[in-house]
């Protein structure tokens, strides 16, 4: 069991007082930004990227990111439960049941089952990540350019097909992102592309600009135009009633099943390119709604409806790290931001990462465990502080977000042009929100696009320019067929209805919400 | 959309649907795709449109985007014929948003010459006010405090460069 030894090595790296301090800072910053309505983990990490620019070693940076991620995730649950404004779509289920629980005077129980559930699920799923990452990495070494190309197509198509309510709008978002990825000097021929002969664009548009522009600036403008700059009504916390960690014996009994099942939904769907956390949280919610002991309480504040989805949400993140670390393939917006973070340190996730930087990978996996422990140790005791953050006037909060957004862009390049480009992208992000175009496919398209093109052209070079290379290798063909099936999947209910001779209008398109 | 719980698509036949927005946005998509598509032909290459060359994938992607932009317009036209519209949220506080974008642009330009701390403090106050804050003293205090905190922690502790500007710190 060599993974166990490697993991222990990772713990040896991260368990120094200095590293633990980074974990504490990460969790605190992550929660602080994550509690803002509309700001999910992907944006939080993007906004806090500049904090690590001065770091020499990537290890403290990744420890901080793990803390930021879990903090932001938990911050989102807090907002969902106490304010009923989910920070990201994976918290929608939590907002439904958790807020009802809070209104009935069980806010602490809802917060506790979310925190402990996330903790339990993260422990299980990070353990699974430690187990499967290296074997998958070894398998990935045998992948060829055509397989990589097919895998990237699959990842892009599934995210686009499953996210948002319209395939046309999703595909436009995706192609927009891929186009942004083309801008700059072509990596193979060295020719400028889509630059309008302006040398400013020769280096392309940095991912950080795109992420901060689309998410942070776009979201702020959207919030402003919707007139959501007044703080919402924070449901007050009830006095502590006893029980262990704010949960009574009965609540513990009702929670542990959904936690484990949530982790069971979250991890595999995270590993598969299914767009991150939405699908598993949705599946966990509907499983608990239909099967759990408390099913008659659903809609009125059932603890299972918080416990399951929150666990699934967290577990899916460890799952998403499997393709990210082993194949360099981001399958959610958060993973795309993580990939940008890797690039800051000149690291390319993929099969080589395990061979060349295995210390770093195991330190990262160990830091996920540490981040979770920190989260549980800090966030339940500090809940009154987070409630105070929720009561800060919105104009002050969003002005602060814009300050950090500009700081993030400025520290990437330091030029006015780049700041203006990011603001322009922010306006685009705002318009996309206004017209219900999903944001995540654009980010993934821009980040995966250049790599997709590299693999495409590499495969063609090997195959002497013959386009059939993508369909003659069985593995590539199988993956491409899966991608085609994924495009049809959202229409499956309608197609089935038609086959059964029912009115297809009654069967709705299968859709999940956007982001993270 | 970030909060799926709150966004409901206006049903077809909903008289509240605002048809102009999606038409304009769709036209924008078609226009931008067209302009960029013309740029694809400007890429200097000896390989023509060979799949291995630098023109091929941009050509494919932008052609698809152009077509999908037209499909989006057609969908909107069909929805309008049925008396509805594709999802489009009302642009209510648009003046404030435009002012905010203006403030952002000014901030980008003055950041270097004026320096991080004064530019950021002023930007903070102006942005908070645009978003509806009416507590000037509080905003000024928070703005200066935040700017100083960010400046000192990033330049001193984290080793990230920020412009010092007119006030030496």
């Amino acid at each position: 069991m060599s993974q166990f030894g490697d993991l222990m090595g990772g713990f040896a790296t991260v368990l120094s007082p200095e590293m633990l301090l980074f974990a504490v800072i990460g969790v605190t910053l992550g929660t602080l930004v994550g509690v803002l309505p509309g700001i999910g983990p992907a944006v939080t990490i993007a906004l806090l990227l500049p904090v690590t620019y001065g770091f020499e070693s990537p290890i403290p940076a990744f420890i901080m990111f793990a803390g930021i991620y879990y903090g932001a995730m938990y911050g989102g649950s807090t907002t969902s439960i106490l304010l009923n404004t989910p920070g990201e779509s994976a918290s929608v289920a939590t907002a439904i049941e958790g807020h009802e629980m809070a209104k009935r005077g069980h806010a602490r129980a809802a917060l506790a089952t979310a925190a402990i559930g996330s903790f339990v699920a993260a422990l299980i799923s990070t353990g699974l990540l430690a187990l499967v990452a290296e074997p998958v990495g070894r398998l990935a070494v045998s992948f060829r350019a055509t397989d990589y190309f097919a895998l990237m197509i699959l990842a892009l198509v599934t995210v686009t097909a499953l996210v948002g309510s319209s395939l046309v709008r999703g595909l436009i978002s995706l192609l927009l992102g891929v186009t942004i990825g083309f801008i700059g000097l072509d990596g193979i021929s060295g020719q400028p592309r889509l630059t309008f002969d302006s040398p400013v664009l020769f280096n392309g548009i940095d991912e950080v600009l795109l992420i901060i522009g689309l998410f942070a600036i776009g979201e702020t403008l959207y919030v402003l135009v919707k007139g959501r700059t007044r703080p919402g009504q924070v449901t007050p916390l009830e006095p502590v009633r006893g029980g262990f960690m704010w949960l009574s014996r009965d609540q513990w009994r009702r929670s542990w099943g959904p936690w484990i099942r949530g982790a069971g939904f979250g991890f595999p769907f995270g590993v598969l390119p299914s767009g991150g956390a939405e699908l598993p949280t949705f599946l966990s919610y509907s499983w608990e709604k239909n099967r759990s002991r408390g099913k008659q309480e659903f809609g009125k504040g059932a603890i299972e409806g918080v416990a399951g989805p929150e666990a699934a949400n967290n577990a899916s993140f460890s799952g998403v790290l499997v393709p990210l670390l082993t194949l360099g393939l981001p399958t959610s917006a958060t993973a795309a931001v993580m990939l940008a973070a890797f690039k800051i340190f000149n690291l390319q996730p993929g099969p080589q990462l395990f061979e060349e930087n295995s210390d770093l990978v195991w330190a990262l996996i160990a830091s996920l465990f540490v981040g979770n422990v920190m989260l549980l140790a800090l966030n339940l005791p500090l809940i009154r502080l987070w409630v105070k953050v929720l009561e800060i006037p919105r104009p002050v909060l969003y002005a602060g977000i814009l300050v950090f957004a500009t700081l993030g862009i400025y520290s990437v390049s330091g030029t006015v042009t780049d700041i203006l480009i990011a603001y322009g992208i922010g306006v685009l992000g705002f318009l996309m929100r206004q017209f219900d175009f999903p944001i995540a496919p654009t980010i993934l398209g821009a980040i995966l696009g250049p790599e997709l093109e590299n693999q495409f052209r590499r495969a063609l070079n090997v195959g002497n320019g013959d386009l059939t290379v993508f369909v003659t290798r069985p593995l590539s063909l199988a993956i491409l067929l899966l991608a085609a099936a994924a495009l049809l999947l959202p229409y499956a209910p309608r197609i089935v209805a038609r086959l059964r001779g029912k009115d297809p209008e009654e069967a709705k398109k299968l859709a999940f919400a956007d982001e993270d | 959309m970030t909060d799926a719980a709150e966004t409901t698509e206006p049903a077809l036949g909903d008289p509240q649907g605002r048809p102009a927005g999606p038409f304009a946005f769709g036209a924008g998509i078609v226009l931008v795709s067209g302009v960029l598509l013309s740029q694809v032909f400007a890429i200097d290459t000896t390989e023509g449109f060979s799949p291995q060359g630098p023109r091929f994938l941009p050509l494919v992607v932008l052609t698809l985007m152009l077509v999908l932009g037209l499909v989006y317009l057609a969908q909107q036209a069909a929805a309008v014929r049925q008396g509805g519209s594709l999802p489009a949220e009302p642009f209510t506080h648009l003046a404030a948003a435009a002012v905010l974008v203006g403030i952002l642009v000014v901030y980008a330009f003055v950041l270097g010459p004026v320096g991080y701390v004064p530019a950021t403090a002023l930007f903070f106050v102006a942005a908070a006010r645009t978003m509806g804050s009416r507590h000037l003293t509080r905003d000024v205090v928070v703005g200066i405090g935040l700017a100083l905190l960010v400046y000192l922690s990033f330049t001193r502790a984290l080793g990230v460069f920020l412009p010092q500007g007119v006030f030496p710190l």
Side-chain angles (χ1 to χ4, degrees):
Chain A
M1 196 92 182
S2 71
Q3 282 106 326
F4 186 72
D6 290 332
L7 184 60
M8 288 300 120
F11 275 115
T13 317
V14 297
L15 285 179
S16 70
E18 195 196 350
M19 298 294 168
L20 290 179
L21 182 67
F22 281 118
V24 171
I25 297 173
V27 168
T28 313
L29 284 177
T31 315
L32 194 67
V33 183
V35 291
L36 300 184
I39 304 289
V43 204
T44 311
I45 300 181
L47 283 176
L48 295 173
L49 275 180
V51 175
T52 61
Y53 285 167
F55 287 18
E56 274 168 26
S57 156
I59 291 175
F62 282 110
I63 290 171
M64 231 166 103
F65 285 137
I68 291 172
Y69 179 79
Y70 287 121
M73 199 81 133
Y74 186 71
S77 331
T78 309
T79 318
S80 307
I81 291 167
L82 297 180
L83 258 182
N84 196 20
T85 44
E88 12 94 46
S89 52
S91 306
V92 169
T94 312
I96 306 171
E97 298 303 324
H99 189 64
E100 288 301 320
M101 281 180 74
K103 283 205 294 199
R104 285 187 358 202
H106 293 290
R108 279 182 197 273
L111 289 165
T113 198
I116 305 167
S118 304
F119 175 75
V120 170
L123 284 191
I124 298 173
S125 59
T126 312
L128 290 172
L129 167 69
L131 274 182
V132 304
E134 210 163 13
V136 175
R138 243 178 281 134
L139 188 72
V141 177
S142 65
F143 283 6
R144 295 194 195 152
T146 51
D147 304 330
Y148 274 109
F149 172 79
L151 270 174
M152 288 180 200
I153 294 281
L154 176 67
L156 291 175
V157 162
T158 43
V159 171
T160 308
L162 291 176
V163 154
S165 52
S166 150
L167 189 58
V168 171
R169 295 200 290 276
L171 283 174
I172 292 176
S173 292
L174 173 69
L175 295 176
L176 191 68
V178 177
T179 306
I180 292 173
F182 286 138
I183 297 174
L185 296 181
D186 171 31
I188 295 173
S189 70
Q191 289 300 327
R193 295 195 295 180
L194 313 184
T195 57
F196 297 89
D197 295 326
S198 162
V200 185
L201 290 173
F202 281 6
N203 283 331
I205 291 177
D206 197 282
E207 291 103 348
V208 177
L209 258 64
L210 188 71
I211 294 163
I212 292 182
L214 279 180
F215 277 139
I217 297 171
E219 180 71 28
T220 307
L221 289 173
Y222 180 67
V223 165
L224 177 61
V225 165
K226 279 190 112 176
R228 288 236 197 100
T229 46
R230 290 167 189 289
Q233 195 62 43
V234 180
T235 313
L237 286 178
E238 74 278 12
V240 180
R241 285 202 201 93
F244 179 60
M245 294 178 91
W246 299 350
L247 291 177
S248 69
R249 188 185 289 268
D250 183 51
Q251 284 166 330
W252 274 98
R253 210 174 313 141
R254 285 175 58 181
S255 290
W256 70 267
W259 292 339
I260 310 252
R261 278 192 292 274
F265 282 116
F267 185 76
F269 280 101
V271 174
L272 298 171
S274 59
E278 287 75 35
L279 187 56
T281 46
F282 171 83
L283 287 175
S284 166
Y285 183 76
S286 45
W287 203 101
E288 304 302 338
K289 190 177 179 179
N290 293 317
R291 310 261 171 101
S292 68
R293 274 202 301 140
K295 60 183 173 191
Q296 67 285 359
E297 274 184 40
F298 269 74
K300 291 174 293 206
I303 194 163
E304 291 90 347
V306 181
E310 281 296 302
N313 194 356
N314 247 20
S316 77
F317 177 63
S318 310
V320 163
L321 286 178
V322 174
L324 180 69
L325 293 176
T326 59
L327 301 166
L329 196 67
T331 52
S332 73
T334 312
V337 184
M338 292 290 281
L339 188 63
F342 272 98
K343 285 185 179 164
I344 294 172
F345 294 99
N346 282 323
L347 293 165
Q348 177 60 49
Q352 280 85 23
L353 189 70
F354 272 87
E355 286 165 21
E356 290 161 14
N357 284 305
S358 72
D359 296 358
L360 172 74
V361 176
W362 290 106
L364 173 65
I365 294 175
S367 65
L368 296 179
F369 284 109
V370 174
N372 261 292
V373 175
M374 286 293 166
L375 181 76
L376 204 57
L378 286 178
N379 275 1
L380 288 186
L382 289 182
I383 186 64
R384 292 205 169 274
L385 178 70
W386 308 128
V387 173
K388 285 272 177 301
V389 174
L390 285 179
E391 286 165 353
I392 294 176
R394 292 288 158 75
V396 173
L397 286 177
Y398 283 101
I401 290 284
L402 291 177
V403 166
F404 270 92
T406 309
L407 173 69
I409 308 157
Y410 187 83
S411 49
V412 172
S413 73
T415 68
V416 176
T417 324
D418 276 353
I419 304 181
L420 294 180
I421 289 176
Y423 291 164
I425 294 172
V427 173
L428 175 71
F430 157 71
L431 289 174
M432 288 171 72
R433 284 173 170 80
Q434 287 288 97
F435 296 115
D436 195 23
F437 282 71
I439 306 289
T442 308
I443 303 268
L444 280 181
I447 286 179
L448 270 183
E451 192 51 30
L452 177 89
E453 189 181 19
N454 274 344
Q455 301 291 358
F456 175 78
R457 283 157 76 176
R458 189 180 301 167
L460 282 176
N461 279 336
V462 174
N464 290 322
D466 184 3
L467 277 169
T468 58
V469 286
F470 298 104
V471 289
T472 45
R473 186 171 150 85
L475 181 60
S476 309
L477 178 65
I479 300 170
L480 285 175
L481 286 176
L482 266 179
L487 269 185
L488 293 178
L489 182 67
Y491 299 97
R494 217 183 278 178
I495 295 168
V496 170
R498 186 165 298 191
L499 288 179
R500 286 187 182 160
K502 288 185 189 157
D503 181 9
E505 282 304 313
E506 283 172 24
K508 277 188 166 166
K509 179 181 175 286
L510 195 61
F512 304 95
D514 190 13
E515 279 166 43
D516 304 300
Chain B
M1 295 290 93
T2 19
D3 28 17
E6 289 186 44
T7 29
T8 44
E9 291 212 7
L12 290 182
D14 175 5
Q16 295 297 310
R18 289 161 193 80
F23 276 129
F25 195 61
I29 293 167
V30 172
L31 187 74
V32 169
S33 316
V35 170
L36 290 175
L37 203 53
S38 73
Q39 280 287 302
V40 172
F41 292 87
I43 299 172
D44 192 14
T45 174
T46 50
E47 295 171 272
F49 286 93
S50 133
Q52 286 151 281
R55 281 180 177 180
F56 180 75
L57 274 186
L59 181 79
V60 173
V61 166
L62 284 164
T63 311
L64 256 178
M65 193 154 93
L66 186 80
V67 171
L68 284 169
L70 292 172
V71 172
Y72 177 72
L73 283 175
Q75 284 182 336
Q76 170 67 356
V80 170
R81 256 199 307 279
Q82 291 175 45
S85 170
L86 291 178
E89 292 182 36
F91 288 81
T92 38
H93 300 69
L94 201 56
V99 171
L100 187 65
V101 172
I103 295 172
L104 279 167
V105 171
V106 172
Y107 180 43
F109 277 104
V110 300
L111 194 55
V114 177
Y116 187 79
V117 175
T120 302
L122 283 175
F123 166 77
F124 184 90
V125 174
R129 216 168 169 72
T130 312
M131 288 189 273
S133 171
R134 289 293 168 264
H135 301 266
L136 191 60
T137 326
R138 179 194 68 193
D139 294 348
V140 171
V141 172
V142 176
I144 295 175
L146 180 73
L148 273 175
L149 181 76
V150 169
Y151 183 80
L152 291 178
S153 54
F154 274 75
T155 54
R156 303 289 147 83
L158 296 166
V160 175
F161 169 80
L162 291 172
Q164 192 184 46
V166 286
F167 300 118
L169 277 168

